[in-house]
Amino acid sequence: MSDSLDQRLAAIARHPFRAKFHLRGRDLATAELSGPSTMRWYAYDVIAKRLASAEPRKDGKQTPYRGHPVFVAQHATATCCRTCLERWHQIPKGRELTRAERTYVVDVICRWIEREVADGARSGP
């Protein structure tokens, strides 16, 4: 499954806007120190509260650009709003996300964070 996620992430990263996002500074440190299971838990929580409903509050503006690695990852992976989910991941707007769709979105976010942490560890300070 990670091969297909990596292919999807590579395609999204070719878009100039999405390619600008990377974990740096405090966001990278948070991801490194918190670890994958904490990032996954937080991503599930964020998706449930901000994205999963049929009509999310402030859709298109609900995801901050910084402040937590999951927020950065959402913009990098086009999982930041329902419009981006529909355009990039073919998950239709106007209905609640299914459990499988929520899991997929979290998998995409967490795979991107995992890759960023690995890149950060390779590039060093």
Side-chain angles (χ1 to χ4, degrees):
M1 176 155 146
S2 65
D3 285 347
S4 62
L5 281 182
D6 287 340
Q7 291 170 352
R8 174 68 51 102
L9 290 173
I12 293 168
R14 286 192 287 273
H15 187 271
F17 176 74
R18 306 287 167 199
K20 293 187 299 187
F21 293 96
H22 294 284
L23 291 183
R24 296 181 178 92
R26 182 176 287 170
D27 288 334
L28 180 59
T30 297
E32 290 172 336
L33 294 171
S34 297
S37 60
T38 300
M39 288 294 105
R40 180 167 290 278
W41 178 87
Y42 191 80
Y44 269 113
D45 191 52
V46 166
I47 297 311
K49 290 178 179 171
R50 296 177 183 242
L51 201 66
S53 74
E55 295 182 18
R57 186 172 169 268
K58 293 168 57 174
D59 194 29
K61 297 181 174 103
Q62 76 268 42
T63 305
Y65 282 92
R66 60 185 147 290
H68 195 279
V70 168
F71 297 149
V72 179
Q74 284 186 269
H75 290 292
T77 62
T79 58
C80 47
C81 68
R82 294 303 294 266
T83 298
C84 290
L85 272 182
E86 187 171 65
R87 181 179 303 141
W88 291 92
H89 300 278
Q90 294 73 51
I91 297 175
K93 293 168 71 170
R95 63 162 176 77
E96 189 169 331
L97 295 180
T98 65
R99 179 176 290 168
E101 289 166 343
R102 290 179 195 210
T103 300
Y104 165 79
V105 170
V106 170
D107 287 346
V108 169
I109 290 167
C110 290
R111 181 66 181 142
W112 184 87
I113 291 172
E114 178 184 304
R115 290 169 47 157
E116 285 289 304
V117 168
D119 288 348
R122 276 196 290 277
S123 64

